[in-house]
Amino acid sequence: MGILDQFNLTGQCAIITGAGTGLGREMALSLADSGCDIVGVGRRSGPIEEVGEIIKAKGRRYLGVTGCDVTVSANVNDMVAQAAAKMGRITVLINNAGLGGSGRGKTLPELTDEDWLSGIDSNLNAAFYCTRAIVPHMLEQGGGRIISVTSGWGFRAGRNNWMYPVAKGGVIQLTKAIAMTYARDNIRASCIAPGLFPKTEDAAVLTEMGPKQVAGRIGFPREMGPLAVFLASPASDYLSGATVLMDGGAIAAGLLPAGVVPHAEG
Amino acid sequence: MTLFDLTGTHSLVTGATGALGRALAVALAEAGATVSVTTVSTDRAEEVEANSILNECWAAGGKNGQQKTLDLTDPAAVEAAVAALEKDVAPIDILVNAGHAANIKPVLASSVAEWMRELNRNATTVFVASQAVGKRMVPRGKGRIINVVSDLHDRGIPNCAIFGASQGAILGFTKSLALEWGGGDPLVEDRVTVNAIGIGFIEGVPGPQADPAVAEVLGRYLPLRRLGSPKDVQGAVVFLAAPTTNYVNAEVVLIDGAIATHA
């Protein structure tokens, strides 16, 4: 088998939460391009149906699920059962859905229980519920891949930025726990940490925001596709528990503000 | 499979005549790249090995790749080889620094000469090759430099202090270089990227696992319960080399059987 065959996902099926828009949509399209059938989970039926039409036009099987609130475990359990019943073997889960949550910028005493829980629910609990629901199925099928979208915020912290970094850091640790627990059951777990990926390729926005980034440009959502395919495929069979940053070098550059370059005489 | 198609690109793999270098060179060729390789000695066995690697690359991909035998710590020799490869084969789009040597020895028994040798053969080679290739890549605004580092870049093992230092040197170089060369026009997608593949314990690669007793323990201790094979690293090099992965920069992709997860 040549190396490009190792990136082939023919015969596999991926559940992707938040598949209707943004990064989730692009990951779904790239996986489908690589041969994978898709279960697209999202809140709004319009985008979930629209991405489904594109995926079906590529010749893949598609199931759209819109009635599932991924922060409610009973909904998640139903969604996974429905996906397995309709699609058969599920081999990949991408925990992509997540929200900024309420309360960003509030001081610690101002934060309400609801603020805290909204961030933890949508970013961490949702990934936990989906993982817990799919693992028995994957064990039955002889293995699988669980890919979770974290963030550069999973590594760093900011003033009065509480729930999101804590939840995204939790996703990284959840991934390590999955990797350790199921390493011998052929389940691989990994994280993707995206940098700044606005949902636009508008030239005015790119020109305004690009120079403020370490890479001189923002990320394009479609750039997430190849990373998702790599992590979902046999090409990454010896990778587990790890996070791959897709941030144009932003975390590595965190010691100085972007654009500040020290100069020294030779 | 267009996402990872390297057709029309020219890859240079330095230190290609180890088990890992061969696997990476062949993977790049299978993905469509023309592959050139460097070897470090004129030793007959190594020359035979290099020719065999080139033959395998020719069978899989582009047929114009060449072999250069040179001292990778000699800037003049490397500059001449890179200039010749760019002229005779094609501009170098992808540089993979795959050389990997491990001096496993207690610090109290080691000399400064051994320290310098380890730093030179593992890290100075990366600096010299990156400089010679990078000065051509940077004006072109696109390219890939991919350095192989051991997980010892940020973990420790007794008797591996000098080896570990050489790996940390490569990684520190990788991250700052990535930022030095990683900028560009906000409307242009292509970039020069500099990344590393962090390898765990891979069969046939110099490192602590060359000790059979250590390898036996690792076979049980590793989360995936097996040492890696050079083939396990092939996907990562093709992923990082692909024209679609411009936004991965200054990153270490760990291909380590999850050892860093519990270590």
Side-chain angles (χ1 to χ4, degrees):
Chain A
M1 186 164 82
I3 186 64
L4 291 183
D5 297 324
Q6 290 187 35
F7 290 95
N8 194 318
L9 300 174
T10 302
Q12 302 215 39
C13 181
I15 294 176
I16 304 176
T17 64
T21 59
L23 304 183
R25 178 181 190 275
E26 296 299 330
M27 290 190 282
L29 295 177
S30 285
L31 261 64
D33 281 336
S34 304
C36 197
D37 296 329
I38 304 291
V39 178
V41 181
R43 284 172 295 169
R44 290 181 294 134
S45 61
I48 284 297
E49 281 167 22
E50 188 258 333
V51 74
E53 291 308 314
I54 302 174
I55 288 166
K56 284 186 274 187
K58 294 177 190 291
R60 310 297 169 228
R61 295 189 305 146
Y62 179 80
L63 172 68
V65 181
T66 50
C68 173
D69 178 346
V70 289
T71 68
V72 176
S73 65
N75 282 1
V76 169
N77 294 342
D78 289 347
M79 177 272 287
V80 169
Q82 187 191 345
K86 293 204 174 145
M87 303 296 275
R89 187 166 163 257
I90 308 292
T91 55
V92 179
L93 165 66
I94 302 187
N95 289 312
N96 166 68
L99 296 170
S102 63
R104 185 166 176 181
K106 282 188 186 177
T107 65
L108 192 54
E110 288 168 344
L111 277 182
T112 64
D113 294 5
E114 290 72 27
D115 292 331
W116 176 260
L117 290 172
S118 74
I120 302 298
D121 272 343
S122 63
N123 293 296
L124 178 57
N125 290 349
F128 166 67
Y129 295 148
C130 291
T131 300
R132 186 177 60 181
I134 199 71
V135 158
H137 175 84
M138 285 184 173
L139 290 174
E140 230 169 74
Q141 306 295 328
R145 300 293 172 101
I146 297 175
I147 302 165
S148 298
V149 178
T150 178
S151 162
W153 287 109
F155 296 94
R156 61 205 177 92
R159 278 182 207 95
N160 286 328
N161 192 357
W162 301 100
M163 294 74 67
Y164 193 72
V166 169
K168 289 302 193 186
V171 168
I172 293 171
Q173 284 299 97
L174 172 67
T175 294
K176 291 183 180 182
I178 303 164
M180 285 306 302
T181 306
Y182 300 109
R184 291 161 192 187
D185 301 301
N186 202 30
I187 293 177
R188 305 280 181 266
S190 59
C191 278
I192 292 174
L196 190 64
F197 284 82
K199 295 172 194 167
T200 176
E201 293 195 19
D202 179 75
V205 177
L206 300 188
T207 307
E208 203 260 320
M209 296 180 78
K212 296 174 188 164
Q213 314 307 317
V214 174
R217 70 166 169 87
I218 57 176
F220 301 121
R222 64 175 180 278
E223 294 183 281
M224 297 297 293
L227 179 51
V229 170
F230 172 55
L231 293 175
S233 76
S236 63
D237 199 43
Y238 205 61
L239 183 162
S240 198
T243 299
V244 180
L245 293 157
M246 167 72 77
D247 69 352
I251 287 288
L255 295 178
L256 276 178
V260 178
V261 178
H263 290 281
E265 294 302 317
Chain B
M1 294 303 299
T2 55
L3 289 178
F4 305 100
D5 187 359
L6 301 179
T7 302
T9 65
H10 180 201
S11 294
L12 174 61
V13 180
T14 68
T17 47
L20 186 58
R22 173 189 281 263
L24 300 185
V26 170
L28 293 163
E30 285 180 354
T34 293
V35 178
S36 294
V37 301
T38 73
T39 58
V40 293
S41 77
T42 52
D43 176 69
R44 183 170 159 69
E46 193 176 353
E47 197 154 320
V48 169
E49 173 73 3
N51 283 331
S52 148
I53 293 169
L54 270 193
N55 283 339
E56 205 174 330
C57 290
W58 280 37
K63 305 205 184 308
N64 298 315
Q66 295 186 1
Q67 175 212 345
K68 300 286 180 190
T69 300
L70 46 76
D71 175 356
L72 278 167
T73 67
D74 176 353
V78 173
E79 168 61 28
V82 168
L85 288 172
E86 290 237 335
K87 178 170 165 287
D88 299 338
V89 182
I92 297 167
D93 304 286
I94 298 152
L95 169 66
V96 177
N97 289 306
H100 203 76
N103 176 42
I104 312 286
K105 200 169 177 183
V107 167
L108 292 180
S110 299
S111 65
V112 170
E114 284 169 317
W115 166 274
M116 298 300 287
R117 178 166 167 266
E118 190 77 342
L119 269 287
N120 272 336
R121 63 185 181 172
N122 283 335
T124 306
T125 52
V126 172
F127 163 64
V128 172
S130 300
Q131 196 179 44
V133 173
K135 79 180 200 188
R136 294 169 167 87
M137 273 182 183
V138 170
R140 293 195 285 258
K142 61 176 180 177
R144 298 283 183 268
I145 296 178
I146 302 163
N147 300 322
V148 176
V149 297
S150 157
D151 263 6
L152 279 153
H153 68 264
D154 81 344
R155 301 301 176 99
I157 293 178
N159 293 347
C160 293
I162 294 176
F163 173 54
S166 73
Q167 301 306 296
I170 300 170
L171 193 64
F173 179 73
T174 298
K175 291 203 172 186
S176 285
L177 184 65
L179 302 176
E180 212 165 300
W181 290 350
D185 188 297
L187 299 175
V188 174
E189 191 163 325
D190 284 334
R191 287 291 183 272
V192 174
T193 67
V194 187
N195 291 292
I197 301 174
I199 57 169
F201 301 106
I202 308 289
E203 283 169 352
V205 175
Q209 70 277 19
D211 178 343
V214 172
E216 194 273 325
V217 171
L218 285 169
R220 288 177 277 119
Y221 181 70
L222 284 162
L224 295 197
R225 237 177 193 163
R226 67 172 175 92
L227 271 69
S229 135
K231 283 188 173 297
D232 287 318
V233 191
Q234 291 181 312
V237 81
V238 170
F239 168 73
L240 289 171
T244 50
T245 57
N246 282 292
Y247 217 60
V248 179
N249 194 27
E251 174 60 331
V252 192
V253 177
L254 293 179
I255 304 295
D256 70 350
I259 188 68
T261 296
H262 84 127

